[in-house]
Amino acid sequence: MSSRRGALVAMGVTVLIWSYSWIVMKQVLRHAGPFDFAALRYAGGAVLLFAGMAVTRQAMRPPPLGPTIAIGLLQTAAFQGLGQLALMTGGAGHVALLVYAMPFWAVLIAWITLGEVPTRRQWTGVALAANGLVCVIEPWRGLGNATSTLLALAGGLCWAGATVISKRLFQKHPVQPLSLTAWQMAFGAAALSVVALCVPQRPIDWAPAFIAGLAYSVVMASSIAWALWALVVKRLPTTVAAVSTLAVPVASVGLAWLLLDETVSPTSGLGMAFIVAGLAAVTGVGRSPGK
């Protein structure tokens, strides 16, 4: 399997995991405060990732500390903290859709800082995906709670910044995706733990639903998915990696339709079609080699 094809497969698995994780997080927040949950989730994820490094006999020495800490603070602490706060006042689907404006921030930041100028085909894909996201969000119906909206958009911007920093780190240093994911998650979890100790929150209700949701978040959505995401960022251009995440809200809508019998409006259906077309254009799916 080629490096690019393997990265696209990794992205597909990540999409499936993350598409369900927003529903899980919304349910979990009925039993715990947002920062307590985020700190537990990523502390547990970091422990599992370091265990994975030990099993695979990877060196435990951290990647360059400056960018690694920055990624941890932006991608784990800020992105997840802001996302959890947004979920407190906004619906899971609404927050997830707004967070996934991230690719458009990432394309712009990568263009300015990394000199990654999207090709004409990629610009076409970005435009299609942007139109699709607007159709799915349907801003003409209102963006709901203003605070939740701003928090979700800010979270997406932080994730975009971390994605570009990760790409630059991979370009300059021989960093392993598992090592970077583990260390940045540890730094981010430490920051979230400090916030959790300082901000008053409701006591944790260790109900079975909370334990199950936390387990899914630690093992699947944090450890496995974020490690795969680092691999994707390392192997694919920033534009391709970032825009590919738009498959998450599409998959979330599809899962809700299949599993929860939620209806899909004609406008949302059109938007999903635009996003899929944009993803195909950006990733080159369906194109013959060499074209």
Side-chain angles (χ1 to χ4, degrees):
M1 182 181 292
S2 68
S3 175
R4 179 186 177 87
R5 185 172 298 177
L8 290 175
V9 170
M11 188 69 236
V13 175
T14 304
V15 165
L16 291 176
I17 294 172
W18 279 346
S19 62
Y20 188 62
S21 68
W22 288 96
I23 298 172
V24 172
M25 284 191 289
K26 182 67 177 180
Q27 299 300 315
V28 164
L29 289 178
R30 296 177 179 176
H31 304 279
F35 294 112
D36 283 339
F37 168 65
L40 286 171
R41 169 185 175 176
Y42 286 105
V47 169
L48 283 182
L49 288 168
F50 281 120
M53 291 176 63
V55 170
T56 56
R57 298 185 178 181
Q58 293 191 29
M60 290 291 178
R61 188 173 66 180
L65 282 177
T68 302
I69 292 173
I71 295 166
L73 294 178
L74 288 171
Q75 181 170 283
T76 296
F79 169 55
Q80 295 301 325
L82 291 169
Q84 300 300 322
L85 283 176
L87 282 173
M88 296 297 290
T89 53
H94 172 78
V95 171
L97 287 169
L98 291 173
V99 162
Y100 281 94
M102 179 279 282
F104 308 107
W105 298 117
V107 170
L108 179 62
I109 297 172
W111 187 6
I112 295 172
T113 62
L114 301 180
E116 288 191 12
V117 182
T119 64
R120 182 179 300 177
R121 174 173 56 80
Q122 289 173 342
W123 274 126
T124 300
V126 169
L128 287 169
N131 286 329
L133 190 62
V134 169
C135 288
V136 173
I137 294 175
E138 298 185 76
W140 48 87
R141 293 180 179 269
L143 289 176
N145 182 283
T147 301
S148 175
T149 296
L150 291 174
L151 289 171
L153 289 173
L157 178 59
C158 290
W159 184 12
T163 298
V164 174
I165 296 172
S166 299
K167 188 66 177 181
R168 181 185 289 274
L169 184 59
F170 284 129
Q171 290 175 341
K172 289 189 172 184
H173 303 278
V175 177
Q176 294 300 316
L178 184 59
S179 175
L180 176 61
T181 306
W183 280 103
Q184 68 83 17
M185 193 171 291
F187 290 125
L192 286 169
S193 298
V194 172
V195 174
L197 290 172
C198 295
V199 176
Q201 299 171 84
R202 57 170 294 175
I204 297 176
D205 173 19
W206 292 93
F210 173 76
I211 295 173
L214 180 61
Y216 179 89
S217 298
V218 168
V219 178
M220 302 298 294
S222 298
S223 303
I224 295 176
W226 280 110
L228 290 174
W229 170 247
L231 177 67
V232 170
V233 172
K234 179 178 182 178
R235 293 187 178 181
L236 296 179
T238 306
T239 298
V240 176
V243 175
S244 294
T245 63
L246 284 173
V248 174
V250 172
S252 296
V253 172
L255 285 174
W257 175 63
L258 287 171
L259 302 177
L260 305 177
D261 294 324
E262 292 187 5
T263 58
V264 179
S265 70
T267 305
S268 293
L270 177 63
M272 291 167 64
F274 270 124
I275 291 174
V276 171
L279 293 174
V282 169
T283 60
V285 172
R287 297 171 67 244
S288 300
K291 289 188 178 181

